[in-house]
Amino acid sequence: MDSPRIVIIGGVAAGPKAAARARRLMPRADITIVERGRFLSYAGCGMPYFIEGKIKEVNELICTSAGVPRDSVFFEKVKNVKALNRTLATRIDRKAKVVEVVRVDSGEREILPYDKLVIATGGLPVKLPINGADLKHVFYLNQPDDALAIWDAVHSGNVKRAVIIGGGLIGMEVTGALAANGIEVSIVEMLDHLLPAALDPEMAAFLTKHVSAKGVHVFTGEKVQRIESDSVGNVRKVITDQREIPAEMVLLAVGVRPNVQLAKDAGIEIGQSGGIVVNEFMQTSDPDIYAGGDCVEVTDVVGGRKIHWPMGSAANKQGRVIGDNLAGRRSVFRGTVGTGVLKVFDYNVGRTGLTEQQARTLGYEVVTSLCPSPDCTHFMPEARLVLVKMVADAKNGRLLGIQAVGPGEAVKRVDVVATALHFGATVDQIGELDLGYAPPYATAIDVVAHAANIIQNKRTGLARGVTPYEVKAKLDRGEPFVWLDVRTQREYDEMRIEDSRIRLIPLGRLRERIAELPRDQEIIAFCKISLRAYEAQRILQEHGFENVSFMDGGITAWPFDVVRIT
Ligand code: FAD
């Protein structure tokens, strides 16, 4: 069949990608896209940057790089694809192989016959069932009209304070965008740290310090109860279970769920995660119907489970695979390794694979490293810090994931690990990678390899690290131990942890002052990043100290209070 009738429901990422690929492979296919909204094939990921003001016109998110709007005319003339916007698909009749649609503006109904159908209906923002969620200036951010409405509110002159409910990807991106417009932002997150699905607590704490330093109020472990207005319906405050936060604007960003009602009504199988079940060819339980993007569930390649992974990166890849398979090629989408990156003020944030918390929940025995490092050689003026946390399977050294946060180049590190995860690499193999080095780009042993080497050293018993949270738990329990700071006196004077257990012995003097340390007590060493502390651990072991370790990441990764003398 070289001229099949293909109907695609959903016209943003997965749908148009499938259409474009199918067209390139099947010049004679009859391809129709049905899209409920007015915009087609837009870059939704750019919406926070439009709100921020970095992108001047929302049209830029809808145009090609050559400045041509991707509208129905574009699809007709350039792609030879019929794109019906403002058209809602209301029913799929699998037996008759037709889709019923209705034109949103005229109410006119139409029947579209298909040989192959693609469902790319995307996701829907999770609604919060609280009073006040429907007030004016309470927004969701899902499509360009939402971004335009937020932009209007920001420029109305009436919004001085905003509350973002939900500290996930969208909440964090919009926080930066609103703050850039001079708005005082508060974030309320129900779980105990920001980006809870993406980062472990100590990585999130590092980010929270940065966000707070930018004037954002961060309230984690707090649940919103209602939003209140003044007498004419304008938002005035958000009430949580712990406080009242004054605000003239609220963004609800508490997640995205797969939009599957149409598929469900047609009897197509829905998975446990709530997404449409597809095989590796992106075929649903009906072999003539494909599905892709935010409406499906996919395989988590690292964790081996089915998950909902609503990312544009995945939607586009899946669309391409669908286009191939519509044309009879056998392309596969194996799944996701869970890569996500974002910019939060001046920090780059990225993650791929499993966090430590996720790995433990899945039953892995894990080993981790926490590694602060300059992103290029320290003597280069452009060197910036990046904090990396790597997670591996303690039993076999298989790499499980990485998180990277900081002003430095974090995303490159995440992409290296995402590639390695895709091929099932071990930490030993990461240490062997031939990564590029010149002073402006990296360190001779890149932080990714360094993080892997630490895990290797831990697995072979050479290095004994304890995490900052383990140290904090010891402090909270009032356990006696020597907290050995092996930095220089100058470093100590500039910044230190205030605690009676701290003993300052710079590494260079450790051998001569070793008698000052008790042999019958636990010793936990640290320095700026804990490289010197690792050496201190080895020196002390060499001298017969048995209960000695270093604190992962040193004072740089210590997520709790430090004293700074500037
Ligand atoms: P959608 O983009 O949701 O499109 C589905 C379309 O289907 C919708 O337009 C809808 O109107 C239409 N539709 C639904 N039902 C019907 C029906 N019955 N009839 C007709 N039409 C219908 N991802 C990243 O990878 N990186 C990022 O940086 C990133 N940033 C983001 C920032 C924001 C603010 C948002 C909201 C998302 C971001 N994402 C990001 C996620 C990314 O935008 C989505 O994963 C992607 O758009 C999903 O594409 P999709 O085609 O599956 O679905």
Side-chain angles (χ1 to χ4, degrees):
M1 200 195 308
D2 67 349
S3 54
R5 289 165 305 177
I6 297 167
V7 174
I8 297 171
I9 307 171
V12 178
K17 191 57 157 187
R21 179 71 175 167
R23 167 57 73 230
R24 286 180 203 122
L25 299 171
M26 290 184 291
R28 282 193 291 280
D30 175 358
I31 306 174
T32 304
I33 297 175
V34 179
E35 166 56 50
R36 168 178 63 185
R38 66 185 171 119
F39 298 111
L40 292 160
S41 193
Y42 60 81
C45 312
M47 291 187 290
Y49 304 96
F50 166 68
I51 295 167
E52 180 180 336
K54 216 174 206 169
I55 297 166
K56 297 291 169 224
E57 300 285 338
V58 86
N59 244 347
E60 293 179 46
L61 305 179
I62 295 150
C63 288
T64 65
S65 53
V68 181
R70 284 186 295 260
D71 55 13
S72 298
V73 176
F74 167 84
F75 274 96
E76 184 83 52
K77 301 280 183 213
V78 179
K79 305 281 180 195
N80 188 20
V81 166
K82 199 190 287 175
L84 309 172
N85 62 339
R86 305 282 294 154
T87 304
L88 178 72
T90 50
R91 198 169 82 89
I92 300 165
D93 182 338
R94 293 201 286 135
K95 215 162 165 203
K97 294 185 93 168
V98 296
V99 178
E100 292 177 11
V101 303
V102 57
R103 298 302 185 116
V104 175
D105 297 318
S106 64
E108 191 188 323
R109 292 184 176 277
E110 219 179 307
I111 301 285
L112 303 177
Y114 68 83
D115 297 306
K116 302 283 178 195
L117 177 67
V118 179
I119 301 176
T121 46
L124 294 169
V126 173
K127 304 275 174 184
L128 257 196
I130 52 168
N131 282 339
D134 52 356
L135 287 168
K136 193 174 164 232
H137 285 180
V138 176
F139 299 103
Y140 292 91
L141 179 55
N142 184 42
Q143 38 136 333
D145 282 330
D146 301 327
L148 284 165
I150 294 171
W151 194 94
D152 283 346
V154 166
H155 293 89
S156 67
N158 298 325
V159 177
K160 301 271 177 280
R161 293 157 303 187
V163 173
I164 310 272
I165 304 178
L169 181 144
I170 293 174
M172 295 310 299
E173 287 192 337
V174 177
T175 294
L178 295 183
N181 282 284
I183 293 172
E184 184 181 338
V185 183
S186 301
I187 306 172
V188 183
E189 166 57 53
M190 190 173 74
L191 298 177
D192 65 0
H193 62 273
L194 294 178
L195 291 169
L199 300 179
D200 280 319
E202 67 273 44
M203 298 300 287
F206 191 63
L207 177 66
T208 302
K209 277 188 185 171
H210 179 60
V211 170
S212 302
K214 292 285 178 184
V216 174
H217 313 289
V218 179
F219 305 113
T220 51
E222 218 166 303
K223 202 169 172 187
V224 171
Q225 296 183 321
R226 61 184 185 281
I227 304 166
E228 288 187 358
S229 67
D230 61 15
S231 56
V232 287
N234 294 314
V235 170
R236 279 296 164 258
K237 57 186 165 190
V238 171
I239 316 290
T240 76
D241 51 5
Q242 294 177 41
R243 75 193 77 234
E244 294 187 1
I245 311 168
E248 293 80 36
M249 175 183 156
V250 175
L251 178 78
L252 293 164
V254 292
V256 173
R257 66 179 170 82
N259 180 10
V260 298
Q261 198 56 50
L262 198 63
K264 206 173 181 177
D265 292 345
I268 290 166
E269 189 184 349
I270 307 298
Q272 293 231 316
S273 73
I276 299 169
V277 171
V278 286
N279 62 15
E280 59 183 350
F281 306 112
M282 303 308 296
Q283 249 165 337
T284 68
S285 51
D286 178 332
D288 287 329
I289 303 182
Y290 293 80
D294 286 6
C295 62
V296 301
E297 69 174 22
V298 295
T299 301
D300 162 9
V301 172
V302 183
R305 44 185 187 157
K306 292 289 180 188
I307 56 168
H308 180 226
W309 186 249
M311 297 298 281
S313 46
N316 278 285
K317 279 197 282 282
Q318 292 163 7
R320 190 172 192 276
V321 167
I322 292 171
D324 271 356
N325 288 316
L326 287 169
R329 295 184 170 204
R330 300 303 270 167
S331 280
V332 298
F333 180 82
R334 236 173 24 96
T336 177
V337 293
T339 310
V341 299
L342 68 153
K343 183 117 191 144
V344 184
F345 291 102
D346 310 323
Y347 270 25
N348 304 302
V349 181
R351 55 94 65 220
T352 188
L354 303 174
T355 61
E356 180 181 354
Q357 284 187 338
Q358 289 161 347
R360 288 193 190 282
T361 306
L362 288 172
Y364 286 97
E365 191 188 314
V366 298
V367 51
T368 66
S369 60
L370 195 56
C371 198
S373 167
D375 60 352
C376 64
T377 316
H378 68 276
F379 50 74
M380 295 302 288
E382 65 265 39
R384 298 279 177 276
L385 178 73
V386 57
L387 176 64
V388 162
K389 176 169 179 175
M390 190 174 275
V391 183
D393 188 331
K395 285 196 182 132
N396 53 21
R398 187 182 145 224
L399 185 64
L400 293 177
I402 192 181
Q403 300 150 62
V405 177
E409 174 47 273
V411 172
K412 163 178 151 176
R413 277 74 201 191
V414 169
D415 280 345
V416 166
V417 173
T419 309
L421 284 174
H422 206 79
F423 298 109
T426 62
V427 281
D428 293 3
Q429 288 170 321
I430 295 293
E432 290 165 12
L433 290 176
D434 185 11
L435 302 175
Y437 165 61
Y441 300 115
T443 47
I445 293 187
D446 188 72
V447 57
V448 162
H450 195 44
N453 290 344
I454 294 173
I455 290 185
Q456 191 187 48
N457 285 339
K458 285 187 178 181
R459 290 192 67 238
T460 53
L462 210 55
R464 283 170 41 182
V466 285
T467 69
Y469 276 84
E470 284 165 345
V471 176
K472 180 71 167 59
K474 282 177 188 292
L475 294 175
D476 292 346
R477 289 193 298 265
E479 275 179 33
F481 65 93
V482 175
W483 209 359
L484 180 63
D485 187 342
V486 294
R487 297 175 303 151
T488 61
Q489 182 72 47
R490 190 169 60 87
E491 287 175 287
Y492 177 85
D493 291 342
E494 283 170 4
M495 177 173 67
R496 59 178 169 267
I497 300 170
E498 289 283 25
D499 190 271
S500 58
R501 300 165 187 79
I502 297 276
R503 294 273 280 277
L504 178 71
I505 305 182
L507 183 69
R509 303 201 54 205
L510 185 58
R511 283 187 171 87
E512 70 200 51
R513 292 178 56 187
I514 214 151
E516 294 174 29
L517 291 169
R519 289 180 180 271
D520 58 347
Q521 261 192 44
E522 180 177 8
I523 298 175
I524 301 174
F526 72 94
C527 58
K528 186 174 173 192
I529 60 170
S530 276
L531 186 59
R532 281 170 287 173
Y534 167 48
E535 288 185 31
Q537 176 222 304
R538 297 298 304 157
I539 291 168
L540 291 173
Q541 282 178 321
E542 215 180 274
H543 286 79
F545 288 78
E546 282 174 4
N547 196 0
V548 51
S549 56
F550 64 86
M551 184 171 81
D552 285 333
I555 197 168
T556 309
W558 176 248
F560 308 104
D561 286 343
V562 293
V563 175
R564 277 172 210 275
I565 291 101
T566 44

